[in-house]
Amino acid sequence: MENKMEDSKIINLFWARNQEAITCLSKKYGKYCDTIAFSILHNMQDSQECVNDAYLNTWNSIPPQEPKCLKAYLGKLTRNTSLNYLKNKQTQKRGKGQIDLMLSELEDCIASKNDVESIVEEHELVRVIQLFLDGLSLYKRNIFISRYWFAMSNKEVAKKYQLSENQVSTILFRIRNDLKIFLTKEDFMV
Amino acid sequence: MNTFKFLEILGEIDETYIIDAIKSHEHAKKVHQFKRNFVIVTCFGLLIVFGFIVAGTRTKEYNPDLPILTIADNDADGMGFQGYMAYEIEELVSQNPWNESLQIKTLPVYKNRATFQNGILNGASKDEKEAKLVEIAELFQISKENLVIEESVTEESTLFFEYDNMRVSVGFDMMITLSYNPILTIPDNLNFSFYSTQEELLKVAQYLKKLYPFLFEVKNMTVNITGGDYDFQMNQSFELSFFEKNGSIEEQILDYNFRKIMFIGTEKSGIWMIRFEHTDLSEKIGDYPIKSMKDAKRELSKGKYFTTVPYEMPGLEYVEKVELIYKNLSVEEYLMPYYRFYIELPEEERENGMKCFGIYDVPAIASEYYTIN
């Protein structure tokens, strides 16, 4: 029988360097991580490898980290690991998974001649993106995050928020347009 | 900046944005479930009004006294998708007493008395767990005066005591676990480790029967070797357990699913853990008619299944194996039978020929006795 544990107890296991922490983590958040990884990679084996790497990264980072929200923290590690894996593999499966669709959607509002190269520029861009998100309603922000952070398909987003796929497409289209204008004003677009 | 870089940088935004989105997902799920419940209740009400029409479509043996069960589709926060890697389906083994040729008309459904739902643990009381530990201590001739029962800090709702190199614990589901530190050694000519072969486990089973005669003397305990799947390092593993194989086929099915003794080896050969599973079946809902395999496959092809596999079922031609099992998970409200289909996932076949078989479950009880939430 499976047995779920509160996040605080799982974090305590990490701090105590008790390897049961990984077992408890995977029991509670395994499917959540699999879903994020699979949405990006669209390959079960690659997804499982990345999820395992994310667990390892969690083990290596807690302590000293003490996440406020373990689910968000683990989701971030899984997402980053999956994106890195995709980048290093250099064989994005064209026409499969959400990543290609997301990239093509963002092309109109993001692509510019200037590359973000320095860490300072990256931090600045994070700040600017957060400013932009703050300007959105909570509802629209959550839809944007669901699509481009969690890599959920339009269909999944529609199901989550009780909308039609067309409505989701329209909302995201308008947000991307607003994002383009905002980034241009902040000199991140040419 | 290219779009991929943007996606990477998006990953660095503050966690509060992610937490808000997670909360909205969880809230949306609750609202969706409430609305679905409302729709289901309304539809059911309409069915009662037009009952004479519905009655004509029901099976001849329809039993109106059996409660209609609501089965939840427990998705998020589960244990990861169930998929087994093997070169051929025959490598995946078990001693499940069920087979397709059996003509089973009904099987019991029970209320699950050990559940973890919505953050609340329901199961055995502290007194029940303590009583069980005292009973076990007596088997090892530990007196009550010398018995110190403690509450586990790492496992929820679990009590335990320690004796020599053994730790005996009882959880909310009344599963008894004996763990050994250091491990119990076994003769050098035996191999009981994570990657023991079936043949090696059979030899270990014979040794265990001699080592623990009081476990095997009265009942017809049958060796049950399960598993045979591979991990990413291409290691194949099996598990060793025993279950009672007595009585009717229905009783054997219940024993196979709910009453097992499991032995767990270690990386280096030896006995690390013994688990006694004896699920509480005290609250029976009823004996429900079982649908035919033909009906189950029809529902499978129509997408009426439960799965954690992220692919849609690729087609009936990919069904490699079927078992009848009871799901015994703390998220399940009912302990009920399912047809478990092992489906080959063609997209996951590796270059070395290793295949992946995903699990898709269809409720085995007749469809008119349940709804899906």
Side-chain angles (χ1 to χ4, degrees):
Chain A
M1 297 271 265
E2 60 168 297
N3 191 354
K4 293 183 184 175
M5 193 181 276
E6 289 168 22
D7 283 357
S8 57
K9 289 187 177 172
I10 297 177
I11 293 172
N12 285 344
L13 288 175
F14 277 102
W15 275 79
R17 306 318 280 162
N18 185 332
Q19 291 189 354
E20 272 191 52
I22 302 288
T23 309
C24 297
L25 194 72
S26 71
K27 275 184 182 172
K28 191 169 182 185
Y29 294 120
K31 187 156 186 240
Y32 163 74
C33 294
D34 289 339
T35 305
I36 293 175
F38 189 82
S39 294
I40 294 170
L41 299 166
H42 210 79
N43 178 287
M44 232 157 74
Q45 287 149 0
D46 292 344
S47 303
Q48 286 186 340
E49 277 187 48
C50 284
V51 169
N52 286 339
D53 284 344
Y55 293 152
L56 181 61
N57 291 339
T58 310
W59 177 260
N60 289 335
S61 59
I62 303 175
Q65 295 293 334
E66 201 159 358
K68 287 182 296 192
C69 175
L70 186 58
K71 189 173 182 178
Y73 184 79
L74 185 59
K76 184 173 172 177
L77 287 179
T78 305
R79 184 183 188 275
N80 289 348
T81 308
S82 303
L83 285 176
N84 280 340
Y85 186 93
L86 196 61
K87 193 164 69 173
N88 293 334
K89 208 176 172 186
Q90 293 179 333
T91 49
Q92 296 174 29
K93 291 185 180 182
R94 309 308 296 185
K96 276 191 178 182
Q98 289 304 308
I99 201 74
D100 290 339
L101 286 170
M102 284 157 56
L103 292 174
S104 69
E105 284 168 19
L106 289 168
E107 257 174 19
D108 279 345
C109 69
I110 301 299
S112 80
K113 289 180 184 175
N114 294 333
D115 285 331
V116 175
E117 287 179 353
S118 73
I119 291 176
V120 171
E121 279 184 311
E122 280 187 22
H123 284 160
E124 179 59 14
L125 183 55
V126 171
R127 186 191 70 81
V128 166
I129 291 171
Q130 287 180 169
L131 262 178
F132 172 73
L133 293 174
D134 288 340
L136 294 176
S137 68
L138 181 63
Y139 180 72
K140 285 185 181 176
R141 188 199 310 159
N142 288 336
I143 289 177
F144 182 84
I145 296 289
S146 298
R147 176 73 181 126
Y148 297 113
W149 198 98
F150 283 97
M152 291 167 68
S153 66
N154 279 0
K155 187 175 175 182
E156 286 163 337
V157 175
K159 194 176 168 187
K160 278 284 179 207
Y161 294 98
Q162 299 291 287
L163 299 167
S164 68
E165 279 188 61
N166 276 343
Q167 284 173 313
V168 171
S169 294
T170 306
I171 291 171
L172 288 170
F173 176 76
R174 288 175 183 160
I175 294 175
R176 290 195 302 270
N177 276 347
D178 291 342
L179 177 62
K180 182 177 179 178
I181 295 167
F182 194 87
L183 289 175
T184 307
K185 275 189 191 164
E186 297 288 332
D187 292 331
F188 272 98
M189 291 282 290
V190 173
Chain B
M1 166 184 52
N2 63 38
T3 48
F4 195 89
K5 186 71 183 175
F6 176 83
L7 284 181
E8 286 184 301
I9 290 174
L10 187 65
E12 299 308 313
I13 60 174
D14 192 85
E15 268 182 20
T16 48
Y17 299 105
I18 314 308
I19 294 168
D20 284 342
I22 288 171
K23 283 180 186 168
S24 76
H25 294 164
E26 287 165 0
H27 174 72
K29 185 177 176 184
K30 284 181 190 162
V31 168
H32 182 56
Q33 283 176 341
F34 174 78
K35 284 184 182 175
R36 282 200 69 173
N37 282 342
F38 182 77
V39 168
I40 286 165
V41 166
T42 308
C43 287
F44 191 62
L46 287 171
L47 279 174
I48 291 171
V49 169
F50 297 103
F52 66 93
I53 297 172
V54 176
T57 67
R58 286 179 178 155
T59 55
K60 286 181 186 170
E61 295 97 14
Y62 179 74
N63 184 348
D65 294 329
L66 286 173
I68 308 289
L69 308 176
T70 303
I71 308 174
D73 187 359
N74 297 301
D75 55 0
D77 296 345
M79 294 202 299
F81 40 70
Q82 269 186 293
Y84 298 98
M85 296 203 295
Y87 290 100
E88 299 300 335
I89 192 67
E90 288 77 22
E91 291 190 280
L92 303 182
V93 298
S94 78
Q95 302 303 310
N96 193 332
W98 179 88
N99 63 68
E100 281 189 61
S101 66
L102 291 169
Q103 306 273 331
I104 295 180
K105 290 197 173 161
T106 65
L107 278 174
V109 172
Y110 302 91
K111 182 85 175 151
N112 188 358
R113 296 199 61 219
T115 59
F116 184 88
Q117 286 174 331
N118 302 318
I120 299 169
L121 206 63
N122 292 308
S125 67
K126 193 175 175 187
D127 286 344
E128 284 173 312
K129 287 179 276 190
E130 271 185 11
K132 183 55 68 180
L133 284 174
V134 168
E135 191 184 315
I136 298 167
E138 282 169 6
L139 281 177
F140 289 96
Q141 296 175 326
I142 304 169
S143 65
K144 267 192 176 180
E145 295 75 38
N146 293 328
L147 184 62
V148 177
I149 294 177
E150 300 173 76
E151 203 165 320
S152 173
V153 293
T154 53
E155 295 161 276
E156 276 196 72
S157 190
T158 298
L159 300 181
F160 73 96
F161 72 82
E162 288 177 329
Y163 176 66
D164 281 351
N165 66 330
M166 181 177 68
R167 182 179 186 271
V168 182
S169 63
V170 176
F172 75 110
D173 53 1
M174 291 300 276
M175 168 127 34
I176 303 163
T177 303
L178 274 60
S179 53
Y180 297 92
N181 184 17
I183 57 169
L184 288 181
T185 55
I186 57 174
D188 291 339
N189 62 325
L190 296 175
N191 178 25
F192 188 35
S193 62
F194 292 150
Y195 303 118
S196 296
T197 64
Q198 287 188 76
E199 293 70 30
E200 286 170 336
L201 287 181
L202 276 171
K203 288 181 185 168
V204 170
Q206 296 311 315
Y207 168 75
L208 290 170
K209 280 187 171 182
K210 288 178 191 163
L211 188 65
Y212 300 106
F214 59 90
L215 287 179
F216 302 102
E217 60 190 6
V218 178
K219 304 149 190 173
N220 181 18
M221 295 297 276
T222 299
V223 178
N224 180 35
I225 295 177
T226 54
D229 56 309
Y230 294 77
D231 61 22
F232 286 113
Q233 282 72 44
M234 299 297 129
N235 295 312
Q236 189 181 31
S237 62
F238 297 89
E239 292 80 45
L240 174 63
S241 62
F242 298 82
F243 73 99
E244 296 176 51
K245 205 169 179 181
N246 291 317
S248 64
I249 187 62
E250 288 81 6
E251 286 165 357
Q252 289 180 37
I253 288 171
L254 292 177
D255 285 336
Y256 173 79
N257 285 277
F258 296 119
R259 302 180 191 114
K260 285 198 287 285
I261 305 175
M262 295 165 275
F263 288 83
I264 300 163
T266 59
E267 200 173 1
K268 297 176 186 179
S269 184
I271 301 172
W272 173 40
M273 214 179 265
I274 307 174
R275 284 207 152 122
F276 297 83
E277 184 184 53
H278 203 94
T279 307
D280 184 349
L281 301 179
S282 58
E283 211 171 315
K284 185 172 170 180
I285 310 285
D287 291 303
Y288 283 76
I290 299 299
K291 65 174 63 134
S292 65
M293 177 61 64
K294 192 176 160 190
D295 287 343
K297 282 187 174 171
R298 189 183 308 127
E299 294 197 357
L300 180 71
S301 64
K302 287 182 178 175
K304 294 181 180 178
Y305 50 73
F306 296 94
T307 190
T308 55
V309 178
Y311 298 117
E312 286 194 12
M313 205 273 295
L316 289 178
E317 65 269 31
Y318 290 99
V319 173
E320 290 287 336
K321 181 174 165 170
V322 184
E323 278 190 300
L324 186 138
I325 53 98
Y326 274 77
K327 274 192 191 176
N328 190 1
L329 301 172
S330 60
V331 292
E332 305 288 333
E333 189 178 353
Y334 303 106
L335 301 173
M336 54 184 282
Y338 287 79
Y339 285 111
R340 172 153 287 181
F341 292 89
Y342 293 71
I343 312 268
E344 186 186 332
L345 305 174
E347 288 168 299
E348 293 299 322
E349 183 164 343
R350 292 190 158 200
E351 280 175 7
N352 65 354
M354 177 75 72
K355 296 174 185 170
C356 184
F357 301 97
I359 297 297
Y360 295 74
D361 293 326
V362 172
I365 67 173
S367 303
E368 53 264 40
Y369 294 101
Y370 66 87
T371 58
I372 295 175
N373 186 3

